[in-house]
């Protein structure tokens, strides 16, 4: 999960005429979180801190209550700014009955193709279920779109220049913790923070892997996650899945930070819950700890801070995962 990213308005979906309908994307809420993400490239990576949500949280709630249409742009801008602020504490999510009320999704049949924008996204959003699939001996294949080399763009530490190599190694170690040491991983090495400029390449890679693996399900980042790389990877995957007739599940990553329980901008009606047994949950916790460049500072300066401090990790070490279908 890269902390900062340019968020220019994306071009129309590759292979789609400007006035033709876009492929159906799980968890899409037209008019609310659709449209470009406001530019926040110059802002520092988010750092979660203890305490109540900051001043922007009431503004998010107020904006979210407005009607769709023109208000959708304001909703999206408010949510994007909330990414750079203190996040919603996990205790707020844990106290919300809405997550427990989500319908339970059954462990998907295989083969399963999992798409990730950065090394760690797939583990944060879907790693527990990947461990369960491995335990069930269900074939899993992974497409890693970028190497996550831009997670600390302002750092001058030596580790920052080796982030691509380090994060690839971290992902391999994490997959081993999930029981997927021998998983087939395809790496595209698309430039980090620039996936929206390479959506056609991602779409073609997903389409090829769907054919080669005979995938019966594809899982990808949610297109409403308010991170340009996550959204672009999700859009490209949705296009490929629609063409191939393969079902698509989308996992959120940043949503738990900028959103809040009952947020009307989030299409909870298409969400489902994937309960994790203790073995799968423990494997995910071990896997998450393998991403040392993201969970610990890589230096002493503010530009070297952890992208995933403990308050952020708490969202991703629950006993269940959530997908949009």
């Amino acid at each position: 999960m890269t902390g900062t990213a340019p968020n220019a308005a994306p071009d129309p979906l590759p292979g789609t005429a400007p006035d033709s309908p876009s492929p159906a994307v799980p968890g899409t809420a037209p008019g609310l979180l659709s449209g470009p993400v406001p530019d926040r490239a110059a802002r520092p990576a988010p750092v979660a801190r203890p305490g109540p949500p900051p001043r922007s949280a009431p503004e998010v709630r107020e904006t979210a209550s407005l009607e769709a249409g023109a208000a959708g742009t304001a909703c999206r801008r408010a949510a994007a700014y909330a990414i750079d602020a203190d996040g919603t504490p996990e205790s707020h999510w844990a106290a919300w009955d809405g997550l427990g009320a989500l319908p339970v999704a059954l462990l998907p049949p295989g083969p399963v193709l999992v798409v990730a924008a950065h090394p760690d996204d797939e583990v944060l959003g879907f790693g527990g279920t990947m461990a369960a699939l491995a335990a069930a001996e269900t074939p899993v294949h992974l497409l890693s779109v970028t190497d996550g080399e831009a997670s600390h763009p302002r750092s001058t530490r030596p580790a920052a220049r080796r982030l691509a190599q380090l994060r690839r190694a971290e992902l391999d170690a994490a997959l081993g913790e999930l029981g997927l040491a021998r998983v087939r991983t395809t790496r595209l090495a698309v430039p980090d923070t620039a996936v929206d400029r390479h959506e056609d390449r991602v779409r073609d890679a997903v389409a090829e892997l769907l054919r080669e693996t005979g995938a019966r399900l594809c899982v990808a980042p949610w297109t409403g996650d308010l991170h340009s790389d996550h959204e672009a990877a999700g859009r490209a995957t949705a296009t490929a899945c629609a063409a191939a007739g393969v079902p698509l599940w989308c996992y959120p990553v940043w949503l738990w930070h900028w959103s809040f329980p009952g947020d009307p901008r989030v299409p909870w009606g298409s969400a489902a819950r994937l309960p994790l047994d203790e073995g799968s949950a423990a494997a995910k916790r071990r896997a998450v700890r393998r991403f040392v460049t993201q969970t610990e500072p890589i230096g002493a300066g503010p530009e070297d801070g952890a992208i995933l401090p403990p308050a952020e990790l708490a969202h991703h070490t629950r006993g269940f995962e959530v997908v949009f279908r």
Side-chain angles (χ1 to χ4, degrees), residues 107-108 129-139 280:
L107 196 66
T129 304
M130 291 171 67
L133 290 170
E137 299 184 350
T138 300
S280 298

Side-chain angles (χ1 to χ4, degrees), residues 15-274:
T16 304
D19 57 347
S20 64
S22 299
V25 179
T28 300
L32 290 178
L33 292 181
S34 57
V37 183
D39 185 11
R40 57 182 182 275
R43 294 169 177 252
V47 177
R49 294 180 291 276
R55 180 175 56 84
S56 60
E59 295 171 3
V60 171
R61 288 167 170 78
E62 179 181 358
T63 307
S65 68
L66 300 176
E67 295 181 358
T73 300
C75 286
R76 192 165 174 83
R77 183 181 297 114
Y81 290 157
I83 287 181
D84 295 330
D86 295 331
T88 298
E90 177 59 19
S91 60
H92 291 198
W93 290 110
W96 184 42
D97 292 338
L99 289 180
L102 293 177
V104 173
L106 299 178
L107 196 66
V112 176
L113 174 62
V114 180
V115 178
H118 313 99
D120 76 356
D121 290 337
E122 66 287 278
V123 176
L124 295 170
F126 199 65
T129 304
M130 291 171 67
L133 290 170
E137 299 184 350
T138 300
V140 176
H141 306 272
L142 176 61
L143 175 62
S144 196
V145 177
T146 81
D147 290 330
E149 69 274 10
S151 65
H152 293 76
R154 298 169 185 83
S155 176
T156 59
R157 304 297 298 173
R161 296 192 291 272
R162 300 175 52 237
L163 276 170
Q165 175 187 351
L166 292 171
R167 296 192 70 180
R168 287 195 300 266
E170 289 172 349
L171 176 59
D172 289 342
L175 292 173
E177 297 288 4
L178 298 178
L180 293 167
R182 298 183 180 180
V183 68
R184 172 182 171 180
T185 301
T186 300
R187 291 186 167 94
L188 291 186
V190 167
D192 193 3
T193 75
V195 179
D196 61 322
R197 297 197 290 273
H198 298 269
E199 285 189 40
D200 54 348
R201 182 180 170 198
V202 178
R203 176 205 60 198
D204 293 345
V206 172
E208 182 176 356
L209 286 171
L210 290 174
R211 290 192 298 269
E212 289 181 1
T213 64
R216 297 178 62 188
L217 175 71
C218 190
V219 183
W222 181 43
T223 56
D225 214 30
L226 292 183
H227 185 299
S228 64
D229 282 352
H230 296 191
E231 296 188 353
R235 287 192 302 268
T237 302
T239 304
C241 287
V246 175
L248 174 64
W249 290 3
C250 291
Y251 58 86
V253 176
W254 278 113
L255 175 148
W256 310 114
H257 181 94
W258 57 257
S259 184
F260 54 88
D263 188 344
R265 299 162 303 172
V266 177
W268 300 110
S270 65
R273 194 166 174 265
L274 289 158

